Amino acid sequence: MKRLMSFPLALILLLMVLPDRAAAAESFSVRCEGGDPVRPYFATFDIDAKAIVFETPPTNVEAYSGINLRAGEIISTENGRIEFIVPVLPGRLDLIFDRNQKTMTWPGMDAPTFRPTLIHQCTVTPPRSILSFRARDPIQHPISVRCEDAGDMYFTMDAASKQAVFERGKEGRLYQGAVTDVQQDEVTLSMNFDVPRRIVWNKSRQTITIEGIEGDAARPRGVMQCQEVAARTMIVYHARLWRR
């Protein structure tokens, strides 16, 4: 009997010291600069998932335009060097981020056009928000809301930049929007669905209200029970592109 009673206690103690895999998951971003003129570009890593999301430098520095996104795969993390590949037409990029030196290395190419090895300085940052893509200034304090009764449905919003985005369903289709009003307990959005819709996130009630369109029976007012979750990041959303 004494042995049987001691087993649950031993199991509990074991679970207390085992690492939490979710807590141990490592994800971060880097901002690097290179080229002439100097242009910024970004990479976001998920070490455990061996996934990477790469945001290319802008083609127009002043307008901050022409940025593209590529999802890729981490192939090695030895000796503080993260080696990864990013598919591009007609082939792929093989890049190396050195965590100790905080540099990004673009290995030289002999053909079809010679390019010497390039080494760019980088800065490590928290994982970039899903709202940060093609944004000149980083999004600092976004919030994300998940509506459980609607499956994989997320709203992400940021009051400072006035940006908002909606992810619908497992296919992860994105809809852009804007924050139009912020009160103590409510954030109002205007989302660019097939027709613009007014959305209200009520933090105390934990609800998302989608206002109806007058005279349109196919688009009535709806209220969903939702909850705030970890802010959606570039890696959480876009890494799925590599796995398809």
Side-chain angles (χ1 to χ4, degrees):
M1 174 66 74
K2 193 172 184 180
R3 177 179 294 182
L4 290 175
M5 291 179 64
S6 66
F7 175 73
L9 177 60
L11 179 60
I12 291 171
L13 292 174
L14 177 62
L15 292 175
M16 289 175 65
V17 299
L18 284 175
D20 182 345
R21 288 191 59 82
E26 185 179 7
S27 180
F28 63 94
S29 294
V30 297
R31 173 194 168 110
C32 307
E33 295 187 343
D36 185 17
V38 174
R39 297 176 294 169
Y41 60 92
F42 303 88
T44 301
F45 301 94
D46 184 330
I47 302 301
D48 288 355
K50 299 186 181 302
I52 183 267
V53 170
F54 186 79
E55 299 167 69
T56 64
T59 55
N60 185 317
V61 179
E62 295 300 323
Y64 207 70
S65 62
I67 302 170
N68 291 309
L69 182 144
R70 307 286 182 183
E73 179 184 20
I74 296 172
I75 58 177
S76 175
T77 56
E78 296 181 358
N79 302 318
R81 290 158 54 92
I82 302 175
E83 299 182 29
F84 62 97
I85 58 174
V86 178
V88 296
L89 294 177
R92 74 185 199 185
L93 289 175
D94 292 71
L95 304 175
I96 302 169
F97 175 66
D98 189 314
R99 303 185 71 168
N100 299 320
Q101 301 298 322
K102 295 182 175 57
T103 57
M104 187 75 76
T105 298
W106 297 60
M109 299 173 60
D110 294 328
T113 302
F114 174 76
R115 188 193 73 196
T117 296
L118 304 175
I119 300 177
H120 300 151
Q121 288 297 133
C122 304
T123 302
V124 178
T125 69
R128 280 168 58 79
S129 165
I130 193 173
L131 297 174
S132 292
F133 182 48
R134 291 178 177 163
R136 181 181 294 271
D137 300 313
I139 306 300
Q140 300 289 351
H141 304 292
I143 63 170
S144 292
V145 174
R146 182 177 188 271
C147 301
E148 295 183 354
D149 59 347
D152 296 321
M153 178 183 289
Y154 298 90
F155 290 90
T156 299
M157 61 203 81
D158 175 63
S161 66
K162 306 297 184 185
Q163 292 193 72
V165 72
F166 171 69
E167 303 167 60
R168 185 188 69 183
K170 292 183 178 181
E171 74 276 9
R173 183 177 178 185
L174 286 183
Y175 294 86
Q176 299 291 330
V179 175
T180 58
D181 188 46
V182 179
Q183 300 296 326
Q184 183 176 0
D185 206 39
E186 288 188 344
V187 179
T188 302
L189 314 175
S190 176
M191 298 303 306
N192 299 320
F193 297 146
D194 50 344
V195 294
R197 300 288 293 272
R198 182 175 180 267
I199 312 294
V200 179
W201 160 240
N202 187 296
K203 187 172 183 179
S204 63
R205 295 177 183 173
Q206 296 284 284
T207 58
I208 285 282
T209 300
I210 303 178
E211 298 295 348
I213 298 179
E214 187 176 356
D216 189 341
R219 298 180 177 88
R221 181 178 185 271
V223 179
M224 298 180 292
Q225 201 66 35
C226 307
Q227 62 180 340
E228 190 170 338
V229 296
R232 303 284 284 173
T233 66
M234 296 289 290
I235 197 72
V236 167
Y237 177 78
H238 291 288
R240 77 183 72 184
L241 298 176
W242 170 259
R243 303 186 184 101
R244 287 179 179 174

